Amino acid sequence: MIVALAANPSIDKLFEIDRLVKGDIHRPLGFVQVAGGKGLNVARAAHTLGAEVTAVALLRGHAGKWLEEQLSAEGVPGAFVWAHGENRSSLSVADRETGGLTEFYEHGSVAPTAAWVELLQTASQSWAPNGWLTISGSLPRGAPDDGYRDLVAEAHRSNVHVAVDAEGDRLRLALEARPDIVKVNQAEARELLGVPTARREEALASAAKLRDLAGGDGHAGVVTRGADGVVVAAPDGTLYEGMLYVRGHYPVGSGDAFLAGLISGLDRGDRWDEALCRALGAATANAELAGAGKLDPARASELAQQAEVRIV
């Protein structure tokens, strides 16, 4: 059982254009919008991969109703807390000529303190012992900076495993509660640790340092490297490097699909190398389809068979 927390969900929109020109009017060649934000992307991708998952989300206003309807249409179970205001929107503009991506992320309305308390309670009523909680993305304005730390601690008291994919102070504070898995990208690892992460050896050292910060033995540090794959310091201290030599045109949400693949694999009892292949397959399948968190499960399985994961 996986509970995917979405404290700051978003209507995620993708415009595709021939060429992005500053100051010009653009007519999109393609448009996709999904129930997004990192937490909902994880929930949707995990559901598509066949995992038993519940999205726990803070919803608001007309945008929140749309998010609820979209999750229902995709068959993703949810437990929702409602508050005043509106959920935010995020826009990605894909330039077909250059392959570049320009992104605009709203902050969203301020959430009342009571809404965060209720969201924590809703999450604790949704998870099950020996299951997983994923904590992804940003907190809404108005939520306490140490909110994720308290949530990790509460989950552990219920014998629930926790994977955190966050950045900045939210991640620093969450590490104090020793999450089972810390998953970040290279830029987030560099910001947190204050060390270079671009080279393979640097990324491996960062993954090991993340594992230590999360508690050492029994905990894992994961650093995703975009087209260069992933490096991992596993709970038993084993260092893994994973790669999949297939590229997609739509990378938004691939990190969330990776986390969905990893946790759904671990939740069903996969070894770490097997779960990493599943995660790489899900991430790449996501990059092949327009829309964050969208993937073809059969294609994800096919790609997982092509992934290369080795002990370093």
Side-chain angles (χ1 to χ4, degrees):
M1 175 65 188
I2 301 168
V3 170
L5 184 81
N8 199 19
S10 167
I11 299 177
D12 283 359
K13 304 177 182 182
L14 172 67
F15 286 166
E16 288 188 88
I17 59 174
D18 276 328
R19 181 169 178 262
L20 181 64
V21 180
K22 182 179 179 181
D24 273 11
I25 294 174
H26 299 81
R27 307 285 183 186
L29 303 174
F31 172 64
V32 177
Q33 61 181 355
V34 299
K38 294 177 72 65
L40 291 188
N41 291 341
V42 171
R44 292 170 37 250
H47 174 75
T48 300
L49 292 169
E52 182 182 355
V53 61
T54 297
V56 174
L58 178 61
L59 300 184
R60 294 180 276 183
H62 297 290
K65 292 299 293 182
W66 187 89
L67 292 169
E68 181 183 36
E69 291 169 0
Q70 291 300 304
L71 290 171
S72 177
E74 293 188 38
V76 180
F80 307 122
V81 172
W82 289 88
H84 296 299
E86 288 287 340
N87 286 110
R88 63 196 178 105
S89 293
S90 301
L91 172 64
S92 299
V93 180
D95 184 327
R96 287 187 176 179
E97 181 179 288
T98 66
L101 193 69
T102 303
E103 299 177 277
F104 305 85
Y105 292 166
E106 288 184 333
H107 288 295
S109 304
V110 175
T113 301
W116 170 256
V117 174
E118 188 178 351
L119 190 69
L120 193 153
Q121 293 173 341
T122 301
S124 66
Q125 293 165 0
S126 301
W127 61 46
N130 299 313
W132 281 91
L133 168 69
T134 63
I135 300 175
S136 306
S138 61
L139 281 164
R141 291 183 295 174
D145 287 340
D146 59 1
Y148 285 164
R149 180 188 64 192
D150 294 346
L151 189 59
V152 174
E154 181 66 24
H156 281 167
R157 282 191 286 270
S158 299
N159 198 28
V160 173
H161 308 294
V162 185
V164 175
D165 179 5
E167 60 181 319
D169 289 339
R170 296 176 299 275
L171 177 57
R172 290 185 181 90
L173 290 166
L175 284 168
E176 295 178 4
R178 298 183 150 196
D180 299 86
I181 296 174
V182 181
K183 177 263 174 197
V184 294
N185 61 33
Q186 281 189 159
E188 292 161 346
R190 182 177 65 247
E191 177 192 3
L192 177 72
L193 302 174
V195 297
T197 58
R199 298 172 55 198
R200 170 181 173 273
E201 294 78 8
E202 295 167 344
L204 280 164
S206 296
K209 180 61 175 176
L210 284 171
R211 177 180 179 271
D212 290 341
L213 289 175
D217 289 347
H219 302 259
V222 179
V223 178
T224 55
R225 308 182 65 220
D228 293 322
V230 64
V231 291
V232 176
D236 64 357
T238 302
L239 293 178
Y240 291 100
E241 182 177 30
M243 177 64 72
L244 182 55
Y245 298 97
V246 179
R247 301 290 176 265
H249 297 295
Y250 308 100
V252 176
S254 288
D256 306 324
F258 177 95
L259 185 61
L262 178 67
I263 300 305
S264 63
L266 294 174
D267 187 53
R268 71 180 189 179
D270 286 356
R271 300 190 312 266
W272 262 87
D273 57 342
E274 296 170 332
L276 286 169
C277 287
R278 181 176 173 85
L280 288 164
T284 306
N286 174 94
E288 292 184 339
L289 295 179
K294 294 175 69 69
L295 54 89
D296 179 337
R299 178 59 174 161
S301 179
E302 177 185 351
L303 288 165
Q305 299 300 315
Q306 301 176 34
E308 297 179 8
V309 174
R310 66 185 184 89
I311 296 175
V312 179

PDB file of all heavy atoms in Angstrom, residues 58-61 82-87 109-112 115:
ATOM      1  N   LEU A  58      -4.342  18.297  -0.723  1.00  0.00           N
ATOM      2  CA  LEU A  58      -5.026  19.504  -0.284  1.00  0.00           C
ATOM      3  C   LEU A  58      -5.630  20.163  -1.517  1.00  0.00           C
ATOM      4  O   LEU A  58      -4.900  20.627  -2.403  1.00  0.00           O
ATOM      5  CB  LEU A  58      -4.040  20.453   0.397  1.00  0.00           C
ATOM      6  CG  LEU A  58      -4.588  21.794   0.885  1.00  0.00           C
ATOM      7  CD1 LEU A  58      -5.676  21.586   1.925  1.00  0.00           C
ATOM      8  CD2 LEU A  58      -3.457  22.650   1.456  1.00  0.00           C
ATOM      9  N   LEU A  59      -6.960  20.174  -1.602  1.00  0.00           N
ATOM     10  CA  LEU A  59      -7.660  20.705  -2.765  1.00  0.00           C
ATOM     11  C   LEU A  59      -8.417  21.968  -2.398  1.00  0.00           C
ATOM     12  O   LEU A  59      -8.927  22.111  -1.283  1.00  0.00           O
ATOM     13  CB  LEU A  59      -8.625  19.666  -3.337  1.00  0.00           C
ATOM     14  CG  LEU A  59      -8.012  18.345  -3.801  1.00  0.00           C
ATOM     15  CD1 LEU A  59      -9.079  17.456  -4.421  1.00  0.00           C
ATOM     16  CD2 LEU A  59      -6.858  18.577  -4.774  1.00  0.00           C
ATOM     17  N   ARG A  60      -8.518  22.871  -3.407  1.00  0.00           N
ATOM     18  CA  ARG A  60      -9.156  24.157  -3.154  1.00  0.00           C
ATOM     19  C   ARG A  60      -9.872  24.662  -4.397  1.00  0.00           C
ATOM     20  O   ARG A  60      -9.323  24.609  -5.503  1.00  0.00           O
ATOM     21  CB  ARG A  60      -8.100  25.179  -2.704  1.00  0.00           C
ATOM     22  CG  ARG A  60      -7.489  24.857  -1.366  1.00  0.00           C
ATOM     23  CD  ARG A  60      -6.449  25.862  -0.943  1.00  0.00           C
ATOM     24  NE  ARG A  60      -5.151  25.555  -1.515  1.00  0.00           N
ATOM     25  CZ  ARG A  60      -4.049  26.259  -1.254  1.00  0.00           C
ATOM     26  NH1 ARG A  60      -4.102  27.306  -0.475  1.00  0.00           N
ATOM     27  NH2 ARG A  60      -2.900  25.910  -1.784  1.00  0.00           N
ATOM     28  N   GLY A  61     -11.093  25.136  -4.212  1.00  0.00           N
ATOM     29  CA  GLY A  61     -11.807  25.878  -5.232  1.00  0.00           C
ATOM     30  C   GLY A  61     -12.144  25.093  -6.484  1.00  0.00           C
ATOM     31  O   GLY A  61     -12.205  23.864  -6.501  1.00  0.00           O
ATOM     32  N   TRP A  82     -10.171  19.842   2.035  1.00  0.00           N
ATOM     33  CA  TRP A  82     -10.602  21.016   1.283  1.00  0.00           C
ATOM     34  C   TRP A  82     -10.362  22.285   2.089  1.00  0.00           C
ATOM     35  O   TRP A  82     -10.577  22.320   3.295  1.00  0.00           O
ATOM     36  CB  TRP A  82     -12.083  20.902   0.904  1.00  0.00           C
ATOM     37  CG  TRP A  82     -12.312  19.860  -0.152  1.00  0.00           C
ATOM     38  CD1 TRP A  82     -12.546  18.538   0.043  1.00  0.00           C
ATOM     39  CD2 TRP A  82     -12.281  20.066  -1.565  1.00  0.00           C
ATOM     40  NE1 TRP A  82     -12.671  17.894  -1.165  1.00  0.00           N
ATOM     41  CE2 TRP A  82     -12.516  18.806  -2.173  1.00  0.00           C
ATOM     42  CE3 TRP A  82     -12.088  21.179  -2.370  1.00  0.00           C
ATOM     43  CZ2 TRP A  82     -12.566  18.642  -3.547  1.00  0.00           C
ATOM     44  CZ3 TRP A  82     -12.126  21.025  -3.753  1.00  0.00           C
ATOM     45  CH2 TRP A  82     -12.358  19.768  -4.321  1.00  0.00           C
ATOM     46  N   ALA A  83      -9.883  23.321   1.389  1.00  0.00           N
ATOM     47  CA  ALA A  83      -9.628  24.613   2.032  1.00  0.00           C
ATOM     48  C   ALA A  83     -10.039  25.731   1.082  1.00  0.00           C
ATOM     49  O   ALA A  83     -10.298  25.499  -0.110  1.00  0.00           O
ATOM     50  CB  ALA A  83      -8.149  24.744   2.396  1.00  0.00           C
ATOM     51  N   HIS A  84     -10.102  26.941   1.593  1.00  0.00           N
ATOM     52  CA  HIS A  84     -10.462  28.099   0.783  1.00  0.00           C
ATOM     53  C   HIS A  84      -9.343  28.439  -0.199  1.00  0.00           C
ATOM     54  O   HIS A  84      -8.197  28.036  -0.025  1.00  0.00           O
ATOM     55  CB  HIS A  84     -10.743  29.303   1.680  1.00  0.00           C
ATOM     56  CG  HIS A  84     -11.928  29.123   2.579  1.00  0.00           C
ATOM     57  ND1 HIS A  84     -13.203  28.923   2.107  1.00  0.00           N
ATOM     58  CD2 HIS A  84     -12.023  29.113   3.931  1.00  0.00           C
ATOM     59  CE1 HIS A  84     -14.041  28.794   3.125  1.00  0.00           C
ATOM     60  NE2 HIS A  84     -13.347  28.897   4.244  1.00  0.00           N
ATOM     61  N   GLY A  85      -9.678  29.209  -1.230  1.00  0.00           N
ATOM     62  CA  GLY A  85      -8.699  29.605  -2.227  1.00  0.00           C
ATOM     63  C   GLY A  85      -8.760  28.699  -3.439  1.00  0.00           C
ATOM     64  O   GLY A  85      -9.753  27.998  -3.673  1.00  0.00           O
ATOM     65  N   GLU A  86      -7.685  28.693  -4.212  1.00  0.00           N
ATOM     66  CA  GLU A  86      -7.598  27.904  -5.433  1.00  0.00           C
ATOM     67  C   GLU A  86      -6.273  27.162  -5.482  1.00  0.00           C
ATOM     68  O   GLU A  86      -5.248  27.667  -5.015  1.00  0.00           O
ATOM     69  CB  GLU A  86      -7.702  28.797  -6.674  1.00  0.00           C
ATOM     70  CG  GLU A  86      -9.075  29.368  -6.934  1.00  0.00           C
ATOM     71  CD  GLU A  86     -10.069  28.333  -7.447  1.00  0.00           C
ATOM     72  OE1 GLU A  86      -9.627  27.278  -7.952  1.00  0.00           O
ATOM     73  OE2 GLU A  86     -11.286  28.587  -7.344  1.00  0.00           O
ATOM     74  N   ASN A  87      -6.295  25.951  -6.032  1.00  0.00           N
ATOM     75  CA  ASN A  87      -5.033  25.280  -6.329  1.00  0.00           C
ATOM     76  C   ASN A  87      -4.322  26.004  -7.457  1.00  0.00           C
ATOM     77  O   ASN A  87      -4.938  26.671  -8.290  1.00  0.00           O
ATOM     78  CB  ASN A  87      -5.271  23.824  -6.717  1.00  0.00           C
ATOM     79  CG  ASN A  87      -5.628  22.951  -5.528  1.00  0.00           C
ATOM     80  OD1 ASN A  87      -6.771  22.498  -5.402  1.00  0.00           O
ATOM     81  ND2 ASN A  87      -4.668  22.723  -4.639  1.00  0.00           N
ATOM     82  N   SER A 109      -2.314  29.661  -3.438  1.00  0.00           N
ATOM     83  CA  SER A 109      -2.873  30.431  -2.329  1.00  0.00           C
ATOM     84  C   SER A 109      -2.279  29.991  -0.997  1.00  0.00           C
ATOM     85  O   SER A 109      -1.800  28.858  -0.841  1.00  0.00           O
ATOM     86  CB  SER A 109      -4.395  30.255  -2.282  1.00  0.00           C
ATOM     87  OG  SER A 109      -4.987  30.606  -3.511  1.00  0.00           O
ATOM     88  N   VAL A 110      -2.322  30.902  -0.032  1.00  0.00           N
ATOM     89  CA  VAL A 110      -1.897  30.567   1.330  1.00  0.00           C
ATOM     90  C   VAL A 110      -2.898  29.581   1.937  1.00  0.00           C
ATOM     91  O   VAL A 110      -4.113  29.779   1.859  1.00  0.00           O
ATOM     92  CB  VAL A 110      -1.801  31.830   2.204  1.00  0.00           C
ATOM     93  CG1 VAL A 110      -1.480  31.463   3.650  1.00  0.00           C
ATOM     94  CG2 VAL A 110      -0.736  32.776   1.643  1.00  0.00           C
ATOM     95  N   ALA A 111      -2.373  28.522   2.531  1.00  0.00           N
ATOM     96  CA  ALA A 111      -3.235  27.513   3.158  1.00  0.00           C
ATOM     97  C   ALA A 111      -3.341  27.783   4.649  1.00  0.00           C
ATOM     98  O   ALA A 111      -2.332  28.068   5.306  1.00  0.00           O
ATOM     99  CB  ALA A 111      -2.664  26.115   2.934  1.00  0.00           C
ATOM    100  N   PRO A 112      -4.531  27.695   5.225  1.00  0.00           N
ATOM    101  CA  PRO A 112      -4.663  27.885   6.677  1.00  0.00           C
ATOM    102  C   PRO A 112      -3.952  26.770   7.442  1.00  0.00           C
ATOM    103  O   PRO A 112      -3.860  25.630   6.965  1.00  0.00           O
ATOM    104  CB  PRO A 112      -6.180  27.839   6.905  1.00  0.00           C
ATOM    105  CG  PRO A 112      -6.730  27.118   5.724  1.00  0.00           C
ATOM    106  CD  PRO A 112      -5.823  27.420   4.576  1.00  0.00           C
ATOM    107  N   ALA A 115      -5.657  23.478   7.853  1.00  0.00           N
ATOM    108  CA  ALA A 115      -5.706  22.573   6.697  1.00  0.00           C
ATOM    109  C   ALA A 115      -4.517  21.621   6.703  1.00  0.00           C
ATOM    110  O   ALA A 115      -4.658  20.439   6.364  1.00  0.00           O
ATOM    111  CB  ALA A 115      -5.752  23.373   5.409  1.00  0.00           C
TER     112      ALA A 115
END
